[in-house]
Amino acid sequence: MIKTMKRFWVWAMGMCALQGTLSAQLTLEACYRAARENYPLVRQFDLIERTKDFTVENATKSYFPQLSFSGKASYQSDVTKMPFSIPGVEFGLDKDQYQLVLELNQTIWDGGVVRNRKEEARAKSEVQKGQLEVNLYALDDRVNQLFFGMLLIDAQLVQNTLLQAQLVRNYKQVQACIQQGVANQADLDAVAVEQLNARQTESELRVNRKAYAEVLGLLTGRKGIDAERLVKPSVTVEPLEENRRPELSLYESQRRQLSVQEKGLTARYMPKLGVFAQGAYGDPGLNMLKGGFEPYYIAGLRLSWNISDLYTRKNDKRLLAASRDDIDVQEAVFRLNNRMEAAQHWRTVEKIDTLMKNDDELIRLRTNIRKSAEAKVANGTLTVTEMLREVTAEDQAKQAKALHEIQRLQALYDIKYTMNH
């Protein structure tokens, strides 16, 4: 029973440790999500949507009955007079007149103006969202630079640890050689100098990693990134022709907005039809021959047609066509630069692949040379300084391999970012 309990606690502690290790891992995709959620611009999505809803709602209310109230008091220099006189009958209008009017207008057909205003609001919203997506997409590149920078430092720290372990073995070897009389204190000091250099390099790498982690933490809103273990991502990118960058969607949204504006040109010069009703109280009333205040009303249909927009319609269409051509040029330039950038990244991957073919062989040869140098030092046929040169050369070969692996991975992610695969 006691053994069973002990096994249970060992298993429980192991699971807790494993859970803590897993929770301390940080992936590149998690950084992407956190950066987007943390970036202040993301709040504009809600503001853009609300602005669109308010604008569309206001445009819809243009169909509601429009009520207006007006008042007028006037004095005129002359009034209408009869060209003849009738005995016993006096006729004349007052030169001062007063009027209070309450008018109700209801649009029956507006030529599509309200519908176009709603479409323009939606199109403008899509353009604003597209521009925001472009700005937010640029965060991925910043995250890539920081994340892979930390990965490279981690690889260098691993190699630095191996180098320090190797130098500890060399230090002990030289100590043994001193006892055998084939080395001296200066040789031991030379190894100690290399150990100090390795520790200084480690300190510098850790400071740099902390700086990267602080910037990545600010960008993603996460704390304690320096203490988390970065998970090396894996990616397979094929040289696809398809490009899914958000800039292309933005260009399409801008074209749709121009199409809506072009429809608005037609809607502006179409005739407008509506009904109206007026209720008024004034002096005089509708009967001009009858003096004094009295109420009255007028109701009917109203047709209006303002053709002045026809004067500028041709130039307005030319302006929209010029704007559409400008968008086409911007897209063509973007696609060209994008293809050149992707091709450059592919050349980088091919170059690194060529270098990596020889990395393992170089490390194997450098390791053999270093071991041979250590044996010669033990035999007294090689100086410690020459041996340390081979130790450094082996370390540089291993660092080069680690650097190539991270650089290749980053180049693939650069391609993924460039084409949005």
Side-chain angles (χ1 to χ4, degrees):
M1 181 66 180
I2 295 177
K3 290 183 178 180
T4 303
M5 290 298 294
K6 286 183 177 180
R7 291 175 181 173
F8 172 77
W9 284 112
V10 169
W11 175 83
M13 292 176 65
M15 291 300 295
C16 290
L18 178 60
Q19 184 177 1
T21 301
L22 293 177
S23 63
Q25 293 181 346
L26 181 62
T27 64
L28 182 58
E29 286 70 20
C31 290
Y32 288 153
R33 292 191 299 270
R36 174 176 282 262
E37 293 171 358
N38 180 65
Y39 205 62
L41 274 180
V42 76
R43 302 169 192 163
Q44 287 190 359
F45 276 111
D46 181 59
L47 296 177
I48 292 173
E49 188 66 23
R50 287 163 58 188
T51 301
K52 181 204 69 175
D53 292 340
F54 294 152
T55 305
V56 171
E57 184 177 353
N58 287 339
T60 303
K61 289 180 179 179
S62 298
Y63 284 121
F64 291 1
Q66 307 296 313
L67 189 65
S68 63
F69 177 80
S70 63
K72 182 179 71 173
S74 64
Y75 183 86
Q76 55 196 60
S77 60
D78 201 0
V79 294
T80 303
K81 296 178 180 179
M82 300 293 290
F84 54 86
S85 61
I86 302 176
V89 177
E90 294 184 2
F91 173 78
L93 299 176
D94 294 331
K95 293 184 178 181
D96 57 323
Q97 298 182 6
Y98 309 91
Q99 187 181 52
L100 295 175
V101 180
L102 183 65
E103 183 172 353
L104 182 67
N105 288 283
Q106 173 63 59
T107 299
I108 297 178
W109 189 64
D110 64 353
V113 172
V114 172
R115 181 179 67 252
N116 186 261
R117 284 174 56 191
K118 292 191 289 185
E119 290 178 357
E120 281 190 357
R122 297 187 182 99
K124 181 180 178 181
S125 173
E126 291 303 316
V127 171
Q128 291 175 333
K129 288 181 180 179
Q131 184 60 62
L132 189 54
E133 282 289 352
V134 170
N135 295 336
L136 290 176
Y137 187 72
L139 288 176
D140 290 353
D141 186 48
R142 297 172 64 181
V143 170
N144 283 345
Q145 301 303 320
L146 294 169
F147 192 90
F148 285 105
M150 293 178 65
L151 277 180
L152 179 58
I153 292 175
D154 288 344
Q156 291 173 324
L157 284 171
V158 170
Q159 182 54 40
N160 182 270
T161 300
L162 297 175
L163 174 61
Q164 290 192 48
Q166 177 61 45
L167 290 173
V168 168
R169 291 192 292 270
N170 293 142
Y171 190 88
K172 293 179 179 179
Q173 179 186 8
V174 173
Q175 283 181 325
C177 290
I178 291 176
Q179 294 176 358
Q180 297 172 4
V182 294
N184 54 39
Q185 184 61 39
D187 295 327
L188 194 62
D189 291 342
V191 179
V193 167
E194 294 300 324
Q195 288 179 308
L196 287 174
N197 289 335
R199 286 195 288 270
Q200 285 182 336
T201 300
E202 179 187 4
S203 299
E204 183 179 1
L205 289 172
R206 293 195 181 280
V207 170
N208 291 339
R209 190 185 192 279
K210 186 175 181 180
Y212 274 82
E214 288 178 355
V215 177
L216 186 59
L218 291 174
L219 190 61
T220 59
R222 296 174 64 105
K223 296 181 179 179
I225 287 183
D226 190 42
E228 297 188 72
R229 186 179 70 84
L230 302 186
V231 178
K232 184 186 295 186
S234 59
V235 62
T236 301
V237 180
E238 298 294 336
L240 301 176
E241 293 294 332
E242 183 183 6
N243 191 326
R244 296 193 292 267
R245 284 286 291 264
E247 287 87 347
L248 301 179
S249 298
L250 173 61
Y251 296 140
E252 288 301 319
S253 298
Q254 291 173 337
R255 291 191 184 93
R256 286 194 294 270
Q257 185 180 31
L258 291 177
S259 298
V260 172
Q261 291 175 354
E262 188 171 7
K263 292 179 181 178
L265 297 178
T266 302
R268 282 191 319 193
Y269 76 82
M270 295 296 289
K272 314 296 188 294
L273 179 65
V275 296
F276 73 93
Q278 291 181 353
Y281 184 74
D283 177 18
L286 292 181
N287 186 354
M288 300 289 293
L289 302 179
K290 181 181 179 181
F293 285 91
E294 65 177 9
Y296 63 90
Y297 72 89
I298 302 175
L301 291 172
R302 178 179 287 130
L303 177 66
S304 61
W305 194 358
N306 185 357
I307 63 173
S308 61
D309 287 328
L310 289 175
Y311 305 149
T312 60
R313 185 170 184 265
K314 183 178 293 185
N315 286 336
D316 289 338
K317 294 187 70 173
R318 289 172 178 172
L319 289 173
L320 292 176
S323 298
R324 189 175 287 106
D325 291 340
D326 182 62
I327 294 173
D328 293 340
V329 171
Q330 292 182 36
E331 181 178 358
V333 171
F334 173 79
R335 287 184 179 275
L336 176 61
N337 291 335
N338 195 260
R339 286 195 298 269
M340 291 191 299
E341 187 177 355
Q344 182 178 358
H345 292 318
W346 276 115
R347 300 294 83 77
T348 300
V349 172
E350 292 175 355
K351 181 183 71 175
I352 295 174
D353 286 340
T354 302
L355 295 174
M356 292 181 66
K357 291 179 181 179
N358 300 320
D359 281 341
D360 291 332
E361 182 64 16
L362 284 173
I363 291 174
R364 187 186 68 82
L365 294 174
R366 285 296 181 184
T367 301
N368 291 339
I369 295 173
R370 187 260 304 165
K371 290 180 179 179
S372 177
E374 290 174 346
K376 290 179 181 179
V377 168
N379 295 329
T381 58
L382 190 70
T383 65
V384 173
T385 302
E386 292 173 326
M387 178 194 70
L388 292 176
R389 187 182 302 119
E390 301 304 334
V391 172
T392 302
E394 179 193 20
D395 175 65
Q396 290 176 347
K398 292 180 178 179
Q399 286 192 25
K401 179 183 178 181
L403 175 64
H404 292 158
E405 290 176 349
I406 301 300
Q407 285 179 333
R408 185 182 188 279
L409 188 59
Q410 184 173 3
L412 289 175
Y413 265 88
D414 286 339
I415 295 172
K416 182 179 179 181
Y417 170 81
T418 302
M419 306 299 290
N420 192 21
H421 285 173

